[in-house]
Amino acid sequence: KDWDHEIELSHIDGPFQAGTHGSLKLTNGPLLKTLLTRVEPFTMFVQEAQLFLAKVVMTHSISQVAGKTHVTFQTEICGPLAFFFACLLGSSIKKKIPVEMREMLKKAENLG
């Protein structure tokens, strides 16, 4: 929520580890139940959210290459209605990612 201005609220119901459930609410969107399916501390995490007849899988990763930090965010939508949700959400996700990454970078720079 600190760098993604389309998220109204997000929280997890336990430690930041695989198997922990949580919630995510997009502005003007439904409350989505989430699940952390993979967590590698300081390297990556995978979060899933169920939609009607589809699942959104969001992978966040960070790596160091030649002294530079690379942040990657990948969204996959799978299931019978994946095409519908990809059309509905895809272009907005694609547009907002660069803005989110710049906001996240500002937050990280202020921590250091």
Side-chain angles (χ1 to χ4, degrees), residues 6-87:
E6 290 186 25
I7 293 179
E8 190 173 310
L9 69 89
S10 66
H11 75 276
I12 59 173
D13 301 324
F16 197 79
Q17 64 187 31
T20 299
H21 292 269
S23 300
L24 173 71
K25 181 169 184 334
L26 300 174
T27 305
N28 300 320
L31 181 68
L32 301 173
K33 299 294 181 183
T34 62
L35 174 65
L36 289 170
T37 57
R38 184 173 170 195
V39 176
E40 295 178 19
F42 306 106
T43 305
M44 63 97 64
F45 71 94
V46 179
Q47 180 181 34
E48 296 182 0
Q50 286 295 138
L51 300 171
F52 179 71
L53 295 177
K55 176 171 62 174
V56 180
V57 180
M58 297 160 281
T59 302
H60 303 75
S61 63
I62 187 168
S63 61
Q64 293 283 326
V65 178
K68 292 187 178 188
T69 302
H70 295 264
V71 176
T72 304
F73 175 73
Q74 179 179 339
T75 301
E76 299 174 71
I77 303 174
C78 50
L81 289 182
F83 180 77
F84 169 76
F85 285 110
C87 291

